[in-house]
Amino acid sequence: MKHIRNFCIIAHIDHGKSTLADRLLDFTGSVTEREKKEQLLDSMDLERERGITIKSHAIQMEYIYKGEEYILNLIDTPGHVDFSYEVSRSIAACEGALLVVDAAQSIQAQTISNLYLALENDLEIIPVLNKVDLPSANPEEVTDDIVDLLGCDAEEVIPASAKTGIGIEEILSAIIERIPPPKGNPEEPLQALIFDSVYNPFRGVETYFRVINGEISKGQKIKFLATGKTYDADEVGTLKLIQHPKKVVKTGDVGYLITGIKDAREVKVGDTITDSANPTKNMIAGFENVKPMVFAGVYPVDTEDYEELRGAMEKLQLNDASLVFTPESSAALGFGFRCGFLGMLHLEIIQERLEREFDMTVITTVPNVSYHAYTKKNPDEKIILNNPSDLPDPSSIDRVEEPYIKATIITKADFVGPVMSLCIEKRGIITNQTYLTPERVELSFDMPLAEIVFDFYDRLKTVSKGYASFDYSPIGMHESKLVRVDILLNANSVDALSALIHADNAYNIGKKMVEKLKELIPRQQFDIPIQAAIGAKIISRETVKALRKDVTAKCYGGDISRKRKLLEKQKKGKKRMRQVGNVEIPQQAFMAVLKLN
Ligand code: GDP
Ligand code: MG
């Protein structure tokens, strides 16, 4: 145990976490030339393309320092707010963290939020000033920023370049010298923290864990405390670039476990693994059931594909436990599913995986958050709404609550005004304003989560000319004056387009939605009135004018086969369109409310 170090790398996106991980693997000889690929830890195709680490992984390095051999376990953390719970569990599995800060960009919102998570878990922080090779680097200033943030000495900050290799050896020495070895007791009953799991279609779910106390052996009967289920540990081992099966993984070490579990939902990140015959009395603190934050309807483009879509969703859920779905039906779209996601990125990933891995074309409806409604008749009984169209009749409602977040934004002093206006427009209430340096300001707001879902990132980027970073964490439910805005096409209400909107903004947003839909809905053979309504009251109206000519008119009475060809061609162009009543609605229309500006 004296020779084990468990650490993670925390950083704002693009500050060099993955590149640094690669460099450490290189330097310790953990990767052979043949295995050398860029950004080894980002293994999923999607991650690679988007340049983000979606799932956390772990990797073990061996390193000889002052004549003694050390085991260094690097636990990778996901780099996006959608996955902040997983980040917190990965951090909980470590004793130390490299805090990587880009020498040109300095401290950003994610640097701070990750640092807080690390400090909450009492991690030893090693500050790394990365990208010192860049001509635009400001090493002195950024070192001062780091010193101010951490209250450390400037000498503790390691100047480095993950690109050229500057500082890598110093970082490894610091990991060994400054991060304490694990503390656990080998004599106590097994207590291991699950910090991640990966679905393997051939072997079932691979569970990644950190042993806190006791040890875990091949063949042992084990128990997961949160689910109460018992398993045989068919295989345990340590994680290098490939898995190395072992007879036992000991106190303080990091490893993987295979039990033949076929459903990702049985393996809950944050859960405690123990011995089934001699269980620990202490569940590891911090466990939470992951809660979806954003909901949307997912419908097949062709109604006949419903069963196929169900099959695809079930398969996705086997390897992504944070995806939840229940069947729902929509008057407009027929049969589909109401799905819960960790955030907008997660929603996009699932949509993309449905297309790539299952060849499904789907329509996704306007995303919404989860609301709580209470009726006058039963003001104590909470009704959970994951779909705006489930909102009870307005006259019967006592109150509605929506989820709030604490938003942290770091920007340049020049942009404080525009950023504040944006947040206030998004119903934010400023709670804190701190000048980190004379040019850089940290702003905190309490805001409705729903406002983040609706085009917040893009707007923030625009108003700050790209000089703002953003992070958030949930802070519970707050009462809000919300009304449901319905959209009517050709006088028929399209339930999939309904949205819950703050009463003060309802008129304005209803008007913009109608205007946007007018742009997106293609002209057809007849006029299509588009209306926004609150209850029976119409608040806005536009019309999509009829096409002047019938496309098939020129074939009238003429060549039938030509006419059929033309129709087929039209049909192809209809991909991702849904016929609602007699109106065709393209996919973009369902997302229109997200892009109103
Ligand atoms: P992550 O999002 O924190 O994982 O960041 P990446 O490791 O993907 O790096 C983001 C970008 O910065 C990539 O284009 C890297 O090549 C580049 N980068 C990372 N470290 C350095 C460095 O030390 N110097 C320079 N010049 N570029 C770097
Ligand atoms: Mg990365």
Side-chain angles (χ1 to χ4, degrees):
M1 262 200 311
K2 252 178 35 213
H3 291 96
I4 298 177
R5 297 292 181 275
N6 297 315
F7 72 104
C8 57
I9 307 178
I10 54 182
H12 189 73
I13 188 125
D14 282 344
H15 283 198
K17 186 175 69 146
S18 304
T19 314
L20 178 60
D22 285 352
R23 201 58 62 239
L24 294 173
L25 294 179
D26 257 0
F27 198 89
T28 53
S30 307
V31 198
T32 62
E33 279 304 314
R34 187 173 47 88
E35 292 163 332
K36 212 178 271 179
K37 270 190 294 171
E38 263 195 58
Q39 304 192 352
L40 282 163
L41 295 183
D42 297 338
S43 54
M44 266 170 81
D45 279 0
L46 257 165
E47 284 182 29
R48 200 175 276 275
E49 278 169 36
R50 287 164 181 261
I52 46 162
T53 307
I54 294 167
K55 292 293 289 181
S56 49
H57 303 276
I59 195 153
Q60 190 175 78
M61 297 172 253
E62 283 156 16
Y63 186 56
I64 299 188
Y65 180 69
K66 295 192 174 159
E68 298 198 36
E69 190 173 312
Y70 288 85
I71 300 269
L72 311 179
N73 290 307
L74 165 57
I75 296 175
D76 197 21
T77 55
H80 191 276
V81 283
D82 283 8
F83 307 99
S84 58
Y85 173 69
E86 292 189 19
V87 178
S88 84
R89 296 304 81 205
S90 298
I91 285 177
C94 300
E95 277 79 30
L98 302 179
L99 181 75
V100 174
V101 179
D102 184 317
Q105 304 279 325
S106 193
I107 290 152
Q108 298 293 342
Q110 250 186 305
T111 320
I112 292 188
S113 55
N114 282 327
L115 173 66
Y116 288 158
L117 283 177
L119 292 175
E120 274 167 29
N121 287 280
D122 292 326
L123 263 52
E124 177 66 32
I125 309 291
I126 301 175
V128 174
L129 179 72
N130 191 35
K131 308 200 191 182
V132 291
D133 62 292
L134 282 180
S136 56
N138 273 320
E140 289 85 22
E141 261 173 59
V142 177
T143 302
D144 285 348
D145 293 353
I146 296 173
V147 167
D148 283 349
L149 180 68
L150 295 177
C152 62
D153 292 333
E155 294 70 54
E156 290 173 47
V157 180
I158 305 175
S161 166
K163 193 165 175 184
T164 66
I166 300 171
I168 301 304
E169 197 168 357
E170 288 85 339
I171 292 171
L172 286 162
S173 312
I175 290 169
I176 292 165
E177 297 273 359
R178 298 195 216 164
I179 297 176
K183 279 203 195 75
N185 183 349
E187 308 302 327
E188 277 183 32
L190 170 65
Q191 189 197 34
L193 168 67
I194 299 178
F195 62 84
D196 197 12
S197 69
V198 169
Y199 182 82
N200 180 321
F202 305 106
R203 312 183 74 195
V205 179
E206 299 167 356
T207 302
Y208 294 176
F209 61 81
R210 149 76 197 271
V211 184
I212 309 287
N213 288 303
E215 49 187 44
I216 183 167
S217 313
K218 182 180 162 72
Q220 188 174 354
K221 268 240 177 307
I222 51 158
K223 184 175 179 178
F224 289 3
L225 285 182
T227 62
K229 294 203 174 180
T230 55
Y231 306 94
D232 291 321
D234 294 337
E235 184 178 318
V236 297
T238 51
L239 293 148
K240 301 223 173 141
L241 263 192
I242 52 166
Q243 297 171 339
H244 290 250
K246 292 264 158 71
K247 281 211 184 73
V248 55
V249 180
K250 294 188 175 164
T251 320
D253 214 345
V254 172
Y256 73 94
L257 159 74
I258 290 172
T259 57
I261 295 173
K262 294 289 181 208
D263 184 341
R265 283 170 295 178
E266 288 180 37
V267 183
K268 294 184 185 288
V269 168
D271 198 355
T272 305
I273 309 173
T274 193
D275 185 77
S276 105
N278 179 24
T280 174
K281 290 184 187 67
N282 306 315
M283 186 158 170
I284 297 162
F287 171 76
E288 280 171 33
N289 270 305
V290 278
K291 258 202 345 252
M293 302 293 277
V294 172
F295 295 81
V298 175
Y299 290 83
V301 164
D302 292 317
T303 42
E304 314 89 85
D305 294 341
Y306 173 74
E307 281 306 326
E308 206 182 316
L309 178 60
R310 176 201 296 279
M313 301 284 289
E314 280 167 357
K315 285 206 186 99
L316 275 179
Q317 197 173 46
L318 289 181
N319 67 51
D320 181 348
S322 41
L323 170 68
V324 297
F325 64 93
T326 47
E328 74 170 4
S329 61
S330 147
L333 297 173
F335 292 102
F337 300 94
R338 174 90 351 199
C339 300
F341 307 95
L342 297 175
M344 289 301 284
L345 176 70
H346 189 213
L347 181 156
E348 280 176 43
I349 291 168
I350 294 294
Q351 198 178 348
E352 241 172 272
R353 291 187 66 187
L354 281 170
E355 295 197 352
R356 288 190 194 198
E357 295 167 34
F358 298 93
D359 202 20
M360 298 286 320
T361 320
V362 294
I363 295 269
T364 315
T365 65
V366 188
N368 58 269
V369 298
S370 184
Y371 299 92
H372 293 173
Y374 300 83
T375 57
K376 287 175 184 152
K377 229 168 106 192
N378 265 326
D380 296 324
E381 193 190 321
K382 173 166 75 191
I383 306 168
I384 297 175
L385 306 171
N386 292 334
N387 185 342
S389 59
D390 295 338
L391 188 75
D393 176 43
S395 62
S396 71
I397 292 175
D398 180 60
R399 63 192 191 279
V400 182
E401 294 172 345
E402 63 178 325
Y404 265 63
I405 54 154
K406 178 187 166 64
T408 307
I409 296 168
I410 295 183
T411 189
K412 287 191 175 172
D414 302 353
F415 300 115
V416 168
V419 168
M420 278 211 198
S421 314
L422 171 65
C423 290
I424 290 164
E425 181 197 321
K426 297 290 190 177
R427 299 192 277 138
I429 293 164
I430 185 150
T431 57
N432 193 27
Q433 176 177 8
T434 310
Y435 277 78
L436 301 171
T437 67
E439 291 88 46
R440 292 157 44 73
V441 186
E442 181 189 344
L443 301 167
S444 304
F445 294 89
D446 289 353
M447 285 173 84
L449 173 66
E451 298 288 350
I452 305 298
V453 174
F454 286 15
D455 89 338
F456 182 77
Y457 293 101
D458 290 346
R459 293 279 308 282
L460 181 64
K461 229 190 269 169
T462 312
V463 302
S464 66
K465 304 207 163 60
Y467 288 108
S469 61
F470 169 70
D471 205 350
Y472 70 82
S473 54
I475 53 168
M477 305 295 288
H478 286 258
E479 191 173 338
S480 282
K481 268 196 316 183
L482 296 167
V483 295
R484 194 178 73 216
V485 175
D486 295 320
I487 299 291
L488 291 81
L489 294 182
N490 230 357
N492 297 313
S493 170
V494 180
D495 54 0
L497 289 172
S498 296
L500 287 193
I501 292 169
H502 193 266
D504 295 347
N505 302 335
Y507 173 80
N508 191 16
I509 291 184
K511 183 165 178 292
K512 284 188 183 163
M513 277 173 78
V514 163
E515 285 165 3
K516 189 79 189 178
L517 287 169
K518 184 186 175 189
E519 279 171 36
L520 292 172
I521 293 178
R523 293 163 69 181
Q524 289 168 43
Q525 316 296 346
F526 44 87
D527 280 2
I528 307 166
I530 306 173
Q531 294 162 303
I534 299 172
K537 190 170 148 224
I538 302 294
I539 57 172
S540 189
R541 180 195 160 109
E542 293 279 347
T543 305
V544 178
K545 287 280 179 210
L547 280 171
R548 251 166 292 142
K549 255 192 264 156
D550 183 336
V551 263
T552 57
K554 56 177 171 286
C555 318
Y556 185 69
D559 180 354
I560 286 288
S561 76
R562 222 185 101 200
K563 188 167 172 176
R564 197 175 292 139
K565 246 188 218 150
L566 205 57
L567 284 172
E568 254 159 41
K569 218 161 134 199
Q570 259 192 336
K571 216 159 129 198
K572 280 224 180 89
K574 269 184 217 154
K575 274 263 158 195
R576 272 191 190 275
M577 292 264 214
R578 271 307 286 265
Q579 183 94 20
V580 175
N582 52 359
V583 181
E584 307 222 294
I585 311 179
Q587 161 77 68
Q588 303 94 288
F590 292 99
M591 298 300 228
V593 67
L594 299 182
K595 302 249 148 70
L596 290 179
N597 285 281

